[in-house]
Amino acid sequence: MTTPSADPGTPIPAAPAAAPASVPGVAPGRRGSLGPVGLVLAGGLSVQFGGALAVTLMPRAGALGIVTLRLVVAAAVLLLVCRPRLRGHSRADWGTVIVFGVTMAGMNGLFYQAVDRIAMGPAVTLEVLGPLTLSVVTSRRAVNLVWAALALTGVFLLGGGGFDGLDPAGAAFALAAGGMWAAYIVFSARTGRRFPQADGLALAMAVGALLFLPLGIAESGTKLLDPVTLGLGAAVALLSSVLPYTLELLALRRLPSATFAVLMSLEPAIAALAGFLVLDQALAASQAAAIALVVAASMGAVRTQVGRGRKE
């Protein structure tokens, strides 16, 4: 759940706002403004439950093998559905989609290396620091700093003060994945503006799949061809890549990157829920408090964005 790279200190331009009439069945005004927020939340649910499923699959094919299956199946589905045009794109367009693909491959590979070593909740908690940092760096409104700070407090509470006992390599992989996640947000927005529909996403996914395929074959070999592993890997690809990345790409066409980044602070809460329901990882009282803080920060960011849209 991406163009030529930008200077990290440069504010990221907001994705062009779609006209209210462009959303079928949604009246102009408040409900139309909240549409992209629903897309982000649906993508978050899909990617975290897909991630929990992937954790259960790792003993069968390894972390790199699961990432390979996820990217290859997702690329095949998106290319089949989107059938993107290969002609008519500029060199800058191709540079954008290649960097997007590298970013997605790196984000997925690093995150699965993290959850292979530490629990899913702490891994996502550390990973989300990337988008939160992006929201602070790119924000042009002081109030967004408040929401980011509140979300950051929730992120640390969700860790339950247990980061000292985490495997150092797992924590490092999670933090690196967070950096790639921040880059993914930037490049996904730019890809959405350069390519129609989900064409850019399909091409970028193919780039990521080609990059990761040798790694997956080297680690898992013929295990990747096991029918059960293939079936579960396809489910992970649909839940963790095809659906959430498509929803997020569509959302980023109507949400500024800073607001999207703060909404990503919900991911640790969703991951904790997925871990509880799928992996039997219970929530502590401090984690419940953290979820409340993160939800409050995300709601504040949404209200700020909706209010800004009304004024404009």
Side-chain angles (χ1 to χ4, degrees), residues 56-62 65-66 69-70 73 216-217 220-235:
T56 67
L57 187 56
M58 282 183 185
R60 300 183 64 95
I66 298 306
L69 284 176
R70 171 176 170 173
V73 173
I217 293 175
S220 304
T222 56
K223 293 179 182 177
L224 297 176
L225 301 179
D226 176 74
V228 175
T229 302
L230 275 175
L232 292 175

Coordinates of all heavy atoms in Angstrom, one line a residue, residues 56-62 65-66 69-70 73 216-217 220-235:
T56 N 1.2 -15.3 8.9 CA 0.9 -16.7 9.0 C 1.5 -17.6 7.9 O 1.7 -18.8 8.0 CB -0.6 -17.0 9.1 OG1 -1.2 -16.7 7.8 CG2 -1.3 -16.1 10.1
L57 N 1.8 -16.9 6.8 CA 2.3 -17.6 5.6 C 3.9 -17.7 5.6 O 4.4 -18.5 4.9 CB 1.8 -16.9 4.3 CG 2.1 -17.6 3.0 CD1 1.5 -19.0 2.9 CD2 1.4 -16.7 1.9
M58 N 4.5 -16.9 6.4 CA 6.0 -16.8 6.3 C 6.7 -18.2 6.6 O 7.7 -18.5 6.0 CB 6.5 -15.8 7.3 CG 6.4 -14.4 6.7 SD 7.0 -13.1 7.8 CE 6.5 -11.6 6.9
P59 N 6.2 -19.0 7.5 CA 6.9 -20.3 7.7 C 6.9 -21.2 6.5 O 7.8 -22.0 6.3 CB 6.1 -20.9 8.8 CG 5.5 -19.8 9.6 CD 5.2 -18.8 8.5
R60 N 6.0 -20.9 5.6 CA 5.9 -21.7 4.4 C 6.8 -21.3 3.3 O 7.4 -22.1 2.5 CB 4.5 -21.7 3.8 CG 3.4 -22.3 4.8 CD 2.0 -22.3 4.1 NE 2.0 -23.2 2.9 CZ 1.6 -24.5 3.0 NH1 1.2 -24.9 4.2 NH2 1.6 -25.2 2.0
A61 N 7.1 -19.9 3.2 CA 7.8 -19.4 2.0 C 8.9 -18.4 2.4 O 9.6 -17.9 1.5 CB 6.9 -18.9 1.0
G62 N 9.0 -18.0 3.6 CA 9.9 -17.0 4.0 C 9.5 -15.5 3.7 O 8.6 -15.3 2.9
G65 N 10.1 -14.5 0.0 CA 9.2 -15.2 -0.9 C 7.8 -14.7 -0.9 O 7.2 -14.6 -1.9
I66 N 7.4 -14.3 0.3 CA 6.0 -13.7 0.4 C 5.9 -12.4 -0.3 O 5.0 -12.1 -1.0 CB 5.6 -13.5 1.9 CG1 5.6 -14.9 2.6 CG2 4.3 -12.8 2.0 CD1 4.7 -15.9 1.9
L69 N 5.7 -13.1 -4.0 CA 4.4 -13.5 -4.4 C 3.4 -12.3 -4.5 O 2.6 -12.2 -5.4 CB 3.9 -14.6 -3.5 CG 4.4 -16.0 -3.7 CD1 3.9 -16.9 -2.6 CD2 4.1 -16.6 -5.1
R70 N 3.5 -11.5 -3.4 CA 2.6 -10.4 -3.3 C 2.8 -9.4 -4.5 O 1.8 -9.0 -5.1 CB 2.9 -9.6 -2.0 CG 2.2 -8.3 -1.8 CD 2.6 -7.7 -0.5 NE 2.1 -6.3 -0.4 CZ 2.1 -5.6 0.7 NH1 2.5 -6.1 1.8 NH2 1.7 -4.4 0.7
V73 N 1.9 -11.3 -8.1 CA 0.5 -11.5 -8.4 C -0.2 -10.2 -8.5 O -1.1 -10.0 -9.4 CB -0.1 -12.3 -7.2 CG1 -1.6 -12.4 -7.3 CG2 0.4 -13.7 -7.1
G216 N 13.3 -13.5 -4.2 CA 12.3 -14.5 -3.8 C 12.7 -15.9 -4.2 O 12.6 -16.8 -3.4
I217 N 13.2 -16.0 -5.5 CA 13.6 -17.3 -6.0 C 14.8 -17.8 -5.2 O 14.9 -19.0 -4.8 CB 13.9 -17.2 -7.5 CG1 12.6 -16.9 -8.2 CG2 14.5 -18.5 -8.0 CD1 12.8 -16.7 -9.7
S220 N 13.4 -18.8 -1.5 CA 12.3 -19.8 -1.4 C 12.3 -20.9 -2.5 O 11.7 -22.0 -2.3 CB 10.9 -19.1 -1.4 OG 10.9 -18.1 -0.3
G221 N 12.9 -20.6 -3.6 CA 12.9 -21.6 -4.7 C 11.6 -22.2 -5.1 O 10.6 -21.4 -5.3
T222 N 11.5 -23.5 -5.1 CA 10.3 -24.2 -5.6 C 9.1 -24.1 -4.6 O 8.0 -24.4 -4.9 CB 10.5 -25.7 -5.8 OG1 11.1 -26.3 -4.7 CG2 11.5 -25.8 -7.0
K223 N 9.4 -23.6 -3.3 CA 8.3 -23.4 -2.4 C 7.3 -22.4 -2.9 O 6.1 -22.5 -2.5 CB 8.9 -22.9 -1.0 CG 9.8 -23.9 -0.3 CD 10.3 -23.3 1.0 CE 11.2 -24.2 1.7 NZ 11.8 -23.6 2.9
L224 N 7.7 -21.5 -3.8 CA 6.8 -20.5 -4.3 C 5.7 -21.2 -5.2 O 4.7 -20.5 -5.5 CB 7.6 -19.4 -5.1 CG 8.5 -18.6 -4.3 CD1 9.3 -17.7 -5.2 CD2 7.8 -17.8 -3.2
L225 N 6.0 -22.4 -5.7 CA 5.1 -23.0 -6.6 C 4.1 -23.9 -5.9 O 3.2 -24.5 -6.6 CB 5.9 -23.8 -7.7 CG 6.9 -23.0 -8.5 CD1 7.6 -24.0 -9.5 CD2 6.2 -22.0 -9.3
D226 N 4.2 -24.1 -4.6 CA 3.3 -24.9 -3.9 C 1.9 -24.3 -4.0 O 1.7 -23.1 -3.8 CB 3.7 -24.9 -2.4 CG 2.6 -25.7 -1.6 OD1 2.6 -26.9 -1.6 OD2 1.8 -25.0 -0.8
P227 N 0.8 -25.1 -4.4 CA -0.5 -24.6 -4.6 C -1.1 -23.8 -3.5 O -1.7 -22.7 -3.7 CB -1.3 -25.8 -5.0 CG -0.4 -26.8 -5.5 CD 0.9 -26.6 -4.7
V228 N -0.9 -24.3 -2.2 CA -1.5 -23.6 -1.1 C -0.8 -22.3 -0.9 O -1.4 -21.3 -0.6 CB -1.4 -24.5 0.2 CG1 -1.8 -23.7 1.4 CG2 -2.2 -25.8 0.0
T229 N 0.6 -22.3 -1.0 CA 1.3 -21.1 -0.9 C 1.0 -20.1 -1.9 O 0.8 -18.9 -1.6 CB 2.8 -21.4 -0.9 OG1 3.2 -22.3 0.1 CG2 3.7 -20.1 -0.8
L230 N 0.8 -20.6 -3.2 CA 0.4 -19.7 -4.2 C -1.0 -19.0 -4.0 O -1.2 -17.8 -4.2 CB 0.3 -20.4 -5.6 CG 1.7 -20.6 -6.3 CD1 1.5 -21.4 -7.6 CD2 2.2 -19.2 -6.8
G231 N -1.9 -19.8 -3.5 CA -3.3 -19.3 -3.2 C -3.3 -18.3 -2.1 O -3.9 -17.2 -2.3
L232 N -2.6 -18.6 -1.0 CA -2.5 -17.7 0.1 C -1.7 -16.4 -0.3 O -2.1 -15.3 0.1 CB -1.9 -18.3 1.3 CG -2.7 -19.4 2.0 CD1 -2.0 -20.1 3.1 CD2 -4.1 -18.9 2.5
G233 N -0.7 -16.6 -1.1 CA 0.1 -15.5 -1.6 C -0.7 -14.6 -2.5 O -0.6 -13.3 -2.4
A234 N -1.6 -15.1 -3.3 CA -2.5 -14.3 -4.1 C -3.5 -13.5 -3.3 O -3.7 -12.4 -3.5 CB -3.3 -15.2 -5.1
A235 N -4.0 -14.1 -2.2 CA -4.9 -13.4 -1.3 C -4.1 -12.2 -0.6 O -4.7 -11.1 -0.5 CB -5.4 -14.4 -0.2

